[in-house]
Amino acid sequence: MARYSAPRGMHDLLPSQAALWRRSEEAFRRVFLSFGYREIRTPVVEHAEVFSKSVGEATDILEKEVYSFRDRGGRLLVLRPEGTASVVRAFIEHLQSEPYPLRLFYLNLPMFRHDRPEAGRYRQFHQSGAEILGSDHPAADAETVILSLSLLQALGIGETEVLLNTLGCPECRPGFVQRLREFYAGKEELLCPDCRRRREQNPLRLLDCKEESCRELSRGAPSTSAFLCSGCREHYGRLRALLRSEGVAFREEPRLVRGLDYYTRTVFEVVHRERGVTLSLAGGGRYDGLAEILGGPPTPACGFALGTERVLSLLPPEKEEPPQVFVALGEGATEERAFAFARKIRARGVRAMAEVSGRSLRAQMRSAHRAQVPATVILREEGAVFRDMESGQQEEGTEEEIARRVVERFGC
Ligand code: AMP
């Protein structure tokens, strides 16, 4: 048994899984670039205020889920629990002078939440996402929904549904929140302990609690649609029209609120349903007030994040790309020659590995078999041998001739 295991809720990405991660990353990058988005990578660590100001003091993320620590200078830092606040912080710091709207994406960045680990819920996980900064138009919201679906389609994941809601804006939301408070007043004993706590500070969160008793109760709760101001109603209507025109299957879900406080107007989630199990793959929405909260200029914006582990859990493992040639040392050959030979053929596009263990030729051939290379080159004191590992056929020649032979077969 291993003496140490990875920290709870955190996982090693093993070589057998890496090919699928690589392929999904390549596919996602292609899709993001095809929509005109530009890549951004923010640090894993941020100042705690970036999140305490943005996600809201009373959201679950801050209350229980953030990994925080003080650095040697005494500053409170956190391991990034989500991407949007960091991207907006970077926008304010570096990108304000860029032409609007600014379209940014991030690819497979690690996120950390000290949640109770369970299937599909980890303490370190990865998200890819996109943000459009500087547009308050519903077309921007629609584009982010369409983009999230395009990413999934690029991996062949089609059985998805978009859940859609609007949370109103600072003008109309307070009226709705007040109505929610009134609705839940006197029903405290029916709520789970978390919701009892949230009721005062963040009553919206009561709507999407997963506890059965809270869900039951929320079915009778008022929905935002009755409280929207005309601007929010128009925005929501135009968004739905745009999604319909693109053939996006969406379902309006008046209980959808999402975990973070900073959302305004649109919120959405992309879910996958299979055999009665609903898996949330991506979530996002509009966050018009966030840049200002973080000390930047007023910047309407929207975006989404998609969870890598959840998405890839729907796909079969991908075959790795094994090396094509093993460069073995026969009698009288030196490591210097093996390195030089491998370097030459790699430069021509061949995946080659050279012997580095000083083993007998027999042992080297055994390990070449185990590595499932289709060919081995055995360097001799003079010249070399090309061995086809499947047929066992061998060809002899000078090193140059054998290198040409290898490149002919495997090079590009
Ligand atoms: P959120 O940032 O909470 O809106 O989540 C966006 C997406 O990230 C979700 O739909 C999931 O796919 C993924 N996700 C969120 N939290 C976790 C977690 N603890 N473990 C794995 N994936 C997660």
Side-chain angles (χ1 to χ4, degrees):
M1 207 173 97
R3 177 151 182 193
Y4 298 111
S5 47
R8 205 161 115 76
M10 304 195 179
H11 297 276
D12 298 305
L13 175 69
L14 300 174
S16 57
Q17 304 153 327
L20 181 58
W21 277 64
R22 245 184 346 261
R23 182 172 77 86
S24 70
E25 253 171 38
E26 282 157 14
F28 281 3
R29 181 175 278 115
R30 253 197 318 275
V31 173
F32 281 130
L33 292 174
S34 78
F35 273 71
Y37 285 63
R38 293 154 70 211
E39 184 165 1
I40 184 163
R41 301 184 199 195
T42 59
V44 171
V45 168
E46 291 277 352
H47 290 300
E49 301 94 88
V50 171
F51 294 98
S52 58
K53 283 206 159 91
S54 63
V55 304
E57 304 285 350
T59 57
D60 285 353
I61 285 199
L62 264 196
E63 276 183 4
K64 348 181 254 212
E65 296 179 6
V66 168
Y67 282 87
S68 59
F69 61 98
R70 288 202 183 270
D71 69 4
R72 286 165 198 242
R75 299 219 49 159
L76 189 59
L77 299 173
V78 299
L79 297 184
R80 174 184 54 199
E82 57 100 31
T84 301
S86 305
V87 170
V88 173
R89 193 269 310 138
F91 155 73
I92 295 167
E93 194 175 341
H94 306 289
L95 301 171
Q96 286 187 47
S97 57
E98 305 254 334
Y100 283 9
L102 201 56
R103 290 176 161 93
L104 300 171
F105 75 90
Y106 53 89
L107 198 57
N108 254 346
L109 297 187
M111 306 292 164
F112 300 84
R113 294 184 196 170
H114 196 279
D115 209 347
R116 188 158 38 85
E118 53 188 55
R121 185 174 303 285
Y122 309 119
R123 288 181 171 175
Q124 178 178 338
F125 60 99
H126 297 76
Q127 288 184 335
S128 297
E131 319 288 350
I132 307 186
L133 297 129
S135 167
D136 62 1
H137 197 281
D141 311 45
E143 182 172 288
T144 56
V145 176
I146 292 162
L147 174 52
S148 67
L149 294 175
S150 301
L151 294 171
L152 294 168
Q153 277 154 12
L155 295 181
I157 297 173
E159 276 99 57
T160 52
E161 189 179 26
V162 176
L163 309 180
L164 194 64
N165 193 18
T166 175
L167 299 178
C169 65
E171 210 179 292
C172 54
R173 198 195 302 188
F176 174 62
V177 170
Q178 183 51 33
R179 271 304 308 279
L180 272 184
R181 283 212 177 89
E182 286 162 20
F183 171 79
Y184 282 107
K187 301 189 176 86
E188 291 82 359
E189 72 285 1
L190 301 171
L191 294 170
C192 72
D194 275 346
C195 283
R196 246 171 263 160
R197 204 166 27 81
R198 290 175 187 137
R199 202 174 51 89
E200 263 317 298
Q201 282 170 304
N202 195 1
L204 277 180
R205 285 304 313 277
L206 272 60
L207 292 175
D208 80 338
C209 179
K210 303 288 177 279
E211 293 291 325
E212 196 41 51
S213 57
C214 300
R215 282 167 60 149
E216 183 62 39
L217 194 55
S218 76
R219 287 194 190 106
S223 78
T224 41
S225 51
F227 296 88
L228 295 179
C229 62
S230 60
C232 286
R233 232 190 338 267
E234 225 168 83
H235 188 98
Y236 194 41
R238 186 77 187 112
L239 167 60
R240 284 174 301 178
L242 283 167
L243 292 179
R244 280 194 201 102
S245 82
E246 276 298 290
V248 172
F250 65 87
R251 188 154 64 80
E252 290 179 63
E253 177 50 86
R255 309 272 167 271
L256 182 68
V257 297
R258 307 193 39 69
L260 305 173
D261 267 3
Y262 56 60
Y263 285 105
T264 49
R265 294 193 163 167
T266 312
V267 285
F268 72 94
E269 207 167 303
V270 182
V271 297
H272 182 264
R273 293 188 212 278
E274 200 171 35
R275 287 182 236 117
V277 180
T278 303
L279 193 62
S280 165
L281 301 180
R286 177 163 281 284
Y287 49 90
D288 289 344
L290 182 56
E292 254 176 308
I293 293 173
L294 292 178
T299 312
C302 56
F304 70 90
L306 176 147
T308 309
E309 285 81 358
R310 298 236 187 124
V311 170
L312 298 192
S313 73
L314 300 172
L315 298 172
E318 197 116 317
K319 237 176 115 47
E320 289 173 67
E321 285 188 358
Q324 296 160 312
V325 176
F326 182 78
V327 182
L329 298 177
E331 194 74 35
T334 61
E335 280 82 13
E336 283 86 342
R337 273 180 55 211
F339 274 12
F341 187 89
R343 169 163 40 82
K344 271 186 224 146
I345 59 175
R346 282 182 201 128
R348 304 291 305 277
V350 178
R351 295 194 299 275
M353 58 183 183
E355 167 65 3
V356 290
S357 302
R359 293 171 294 188
S360 70
L361 186 56
R362 250 178 101 124
Q364 293 180 58
M365 295 312 284
R366 266 202 307 273
S367 90
H369 270 293
R370 267 201 303 272
Q372 297 182 331
V373 283
T376 297
V377 169
I378 304 156
L379 298 177
R380 290 184 167 158
E381 189 155 12
E382 296 274 321
V385 176
F386 176 90
R387 182 181 171 90
D388 182 306
M389 298 300 278
E390 204 167 303
S391 66
Q393 272 185 349
Q394 303 205 149
E395 293 165 40
E396 293 182 28
T398 64
E399 247 184 60
E400 283 69 34
E401 284 164 351
I402 296 301
R404 261 201 304 279
R405 175 80 184 82
V406 167
V407 171
E408 242 169 57
R409 171 134 173 222
F410 300 111
C412 53

